[in-house]
Amino acid sequence: GMGYTRFHHHSQGIDQELTIFVPINDNIKISLVRLKNDSKEGRKISLFYYIRPVLGVSDEETDRLLETDVEDSVFIVKNSANSEFKNSTLFISSSEKIHSYTGDRKEFIGSFPNYESPDGIQRGSLSNRVGFGYNTCAAIRIDINLLPNETKEFTFLMGVEEKLEKGLELINKYKDVQYAKKSLKEVEQFWNQILSTIQVNTPDKTMNYMINN
């Protein structure tokens, strides 16, 4: 879509939709998730959000320099050792309650990395380990309960700010799913206005389709 990317999948009786976008005026990446239970049984689903932060030129340089912490149910990553990114802090959270988390990549991925089935997902719960000197990652886990034919929407959030207070305020604003959906509509309207300003008409319909909104 215009200003967003949407993925759809259906498996194991669960209809899944993921929409990823960045609001017009805020430094935050929003992953809006919709799940519908199409089965006749109640389902409990654990979801994990994982990133490998850099906050520098390369992850090889910053690997052991990143510091992780959690405050007010927000996972925080910062790099105080790098002058370029010294004041940039990552804030990661969800509109749902975070049940466990880790800042240790080895714990989540495993000593012998298996990206299709990470150790942290196999264990089902994370250790809540954060601090300094780890092979850094940011991984959080939430649980979703779905009744038969029930649909739920929620967000995973990753924002960046220089000050702690502003970062927490930014995350808390988009924990409101309806506010996030309103922001998505604003993004669509913004790009629709930009891309519809000029329309090209050629004898080739495929060319028109590629060029025009």
Side-chain angles (χ1 to χ4, degrees), residues 161-178:
E161 282 287 354
E162 293 187 355
K163 297 186 179 298
L164 176 64
E165 297 78 12
K166 286 194 172 184
L168 296 177
E169 181 182 340
L170 175 66
I171 290 293
N172 287 327
K173 181 165 64 172
Y174 287 96
K175 281 186 177 181
D176 183 338
V177 174
Q178 295 307 314

Side-chain angles (χ1 to χ4, degrees), residues 23-199:
I24 298 171
N25 297 314
D26 284 321
N27 297 324
I28 186 168
K29 175 183 176 181
I30 299 176
S31 299
L32 177 63
V33 183
R34 180 186 61 81
L35 299 180
K36 181 184 178 183
N37 182 7
D38 286 335
S39 71
K40 297 180 180 179
E41 298 179 354
R43 306 291 291 274
K44 180 179 179 180
I45 303 172
S46 293
L47 295 97
F48 294 79
Y49 186 82
Y50 165 86
I51 67 163
R52 185 178 185 184
V54 177
L55 291 177
V57 177
S58 68
D59 51 7
E60 288 85 0
E61 292 181 6
T62 64
D63 188 25
R64 305 287 177 176
L65 300 177
L66 301 183
E67 181 181 353
T68 57
D69 197 4
V70 170
E71 184 166 332
D72 295 337
S73 296
V74 179
F75 195 101
I76 299 168
V77 186
K78 58 184 177 180
N79 180 5
S80 301
N82 188 307
S83 58
E84 285 186 69
F85 295 87
K86 187 174 182 179
N87 294 321
S88 295
T89 302
L90 289 178
F91 298 86
I92 299 156
S93 194
S94 171
S95 57
E96 297 292 317
K97 178 183 177 181
I98 297 176
H99 285 272
S100 61
Y101 53 84
T102 186
D104 185 355
R105 184 170 178 264
K106 184 177 179 181
E107 176 195 341
F108 186 76
I109 297 295
S111 299
F112 302 97
N114 182 351
Y115 294 98
E116 293 183 358
S117 184
D119 284 3
I121 293 179
Q122 290 300 309
R123 283 192 300 270
S125 185
L126 304 173
S127 67
N128 297 344
R129 181 182 300 144
V130 292
F132 183 82
Y134 296 112
N135 185 346
T136 309
C137 78
I140 60 176
R141 172 193 150 219
I142 67 170
D143 292 334
I144 299 293
N145 292 299
L146 290 171
L147 298 173
N149 297 313
E150 184 180 12
T151 299
K152 283 191 177 179
E153 292 181 304
F154 52 92
T155 58
F156 284 111
L157 308 165
M158 181 175 65
V160 60
E161 282 287 354
E162 293 187 355
K163 297 186 179 298
L164 176 64
E165 297 78 12
K166 286 194 172 184
L168 296 177
E169 181 182 340
L170 175 66
I171 290 293
N172 287 327
K173 181 165 64 172
Y174 287 96
K175 281 186 177 181
D176 183 338
V177 174
Q178 295 307 314
Y179 188 88
K181 292 173 72 174
K182 177 176 174 289
S183 178
L184 174 59
K185 287 188 178 295
E186 292 173 353
V187 168
E188 292 182 75
Q189 291 170 358
F190 173 82
W191 284 108
N192 183 57
Q193 183 178 1
I194 294 293
L195 299 176
S196 298
T197 303
I198 298 175
Q199 295 290 301

Side-chain angles (χ1 to χ4, degrees), residues 8-20:
H8 183 265
H9 184 64
H10 191 285
S11 64
Q12 308 299 319
I14 303 295
D15 190 64
Q16 308 151 49
E17 185 178 274
L18 168 63
T19 304
I20 302 174

